[in-house]
Amino acid sequence: MRALRVLLIIVVIFGGLFVGADRLAVNLAEDMASEKIRGSQGLDRTPEVSIKGFPFLTQVAGRSLDEVDAELGGIEARAEGRTLRIDKLSAQFHDVALTSDYMSIQSAASATGTARISYADLTKAAGGGVKISYAGQKDGRSQVKISPNVPLLSSLTVTGSLTVDGSTVRLRADEVPTMCKVLPGCESKVRSQTDHEWKLDQLPGNLKLDKVTTRADGISISASGTDVKLPG
């Protein structure tokens, strides 16, 4: 019995050492991945990276990680001479392959992500004194309220719908009020302020946009991809 107790103690000690070494290794790998993603994506702050699965060291030995999650912020898309800022992007990468030198992430079998953009950032991206705010859902469409900056129609407000196509977010006014249609040049003026496109081509792994949903605190955009290439 004494020998068995000693054996159990040794197993516990070595098990604890292995777990400690494993957690230290995963923390170092997460820090390295964070810095590489920040540099490759040109982010204004270091992302949070979390490597899932245990033990980590055996995953590395097989050059395959179960899951890598990343929280990114400060991503910007440019269009029409203006910038659309993504406040936060959460991404999950599954079945992640490492490079032959074990130092970098190479690709993932599949990935999903969710981007959040505030109405303040949408308003800034629209420019020209235009204001964009929440308008809920209608007939399956995600909608916003748009207040164009038209001097003769200071109280004008239209409803716009948000859609996604590939890596592009589109905003279109559903309809321009009749009173604007009778004024020369009014409709084109309003459309120039309400209709916009932003190409989000800086998503990690070039994820494709799936759906956009309006919420009270901003818009949420879901994205996904298969066989995606990862930065860093």
Side-chain angles (χ1 to χ4, degrees):
M1 289 296 293
R2 179 179 175 81
L4 180 59
R5 285 199 297 270
V6 171
L7 179 61
L8 288 174
I9 292 172
I10 292 174
V11 169
V12 170
I13 291 173
F14 276 96
L17 291 174
F18 175 77
V19 170
D22 191 81
R23 292 302 88 191
L24 177 61
V26 77
N27 289 338
L28 290 173
E30 289 170 346
D31 290 343
M32 290 176 60
S34 296
E35 289 300 327
K36 287 188 176 183
I37 293 175
R38 178 181 181 180
S40 63
Q41 298 295 104
L43 304 178
D44 60 7
R45 62 178 180 264
T46 303
E48 297 179 11
V49 174
S50 177
I51 299 175
K52 305 296 184 181
F54 178 83
F56 168 69
L57 292 174
T58 58
Q59 294 184 69
V60 172
R63 286 173 49 197
S64 178
L65 305 178
D66 294 340
E67 180 180 342
V68 177
D69 296 349
E71 295 280 345
L72 298 85
I75 298 176
E76 296 181 343
R78 298 193 64 84
E80 302 167 342
R82 301 188 183 95
T83 298
L84 175 61
R85 185 176 184 276
I86 300 176
D87 179 57
K88 184 177 181 180
L89 171 65
S90 302
Q92 299 80 42
F93 304 95
H94 302 275
D95 297 327
V96 178
L98 302 178
T99 56
S100 58
D101 61 2
Y102 302 93
M103 296 300 293
S104 299
I105 293 172
Q106 182 172 299
S107 63
S110 64
T112 57
T114 304
R116 186 183 68 195
I117 302 173
S118 69
Y119 292 114
D121 284 325
L122 276 177
T123 294
K124 184 178 179 180
V130 178
K131 183 179 180 181
I132 300 176
S133 56
Y134 179 58
Q137 304 281 320
K138 182 179 180 181
D139 299 328
R141 293 177 296 171
S142 298
Q143 297 191 307
V144 293
K145 182 170 67 175
I146 311 171
S147 301
N149 183 20
V150 182
L152 296 179
L153 299 170
S154 58
S155 61
L156 176 64
T157 297
V158 299
T159 301
S161 295
L162 285 160
T163 59
V164 294
D165 181 16
S167 60
T168 300
V169 178
R170 291 194 175 96
L171 172 60
R172 295 286 185 273
D174 294 337
E175 187 178 0
V176 175
T178 303
M179 62 178 177
C180 186
K181 292 181 179 180
V182 300
L183 297 174
C186 181
E187 183 171 3
S188 61
K189 174 68 173 178
V190 170
R191 286 284 180 186
S192 69
Q193 297 186 21
T194 60
D195 296 1
H196 302 280
E197 291 187 1
W198 297 284
K199 191 173 181 62
L200 307 184
D201 55 4
Q202 287 184 290
L203 299 182
N206 293 320
L207 300 181
K208 299 302 180 184
L209 306 182
D210 294 325
K211 183 180 179 181
V212 58
T213 304
T214 52
R215 300 169 25 174
D217 60 348
I219 68 171
S220 177
I221 305 172
S222 60
S224 63
T226 57
D227 191 24
V228 298
K229 303 302 179 184
L230 302 180

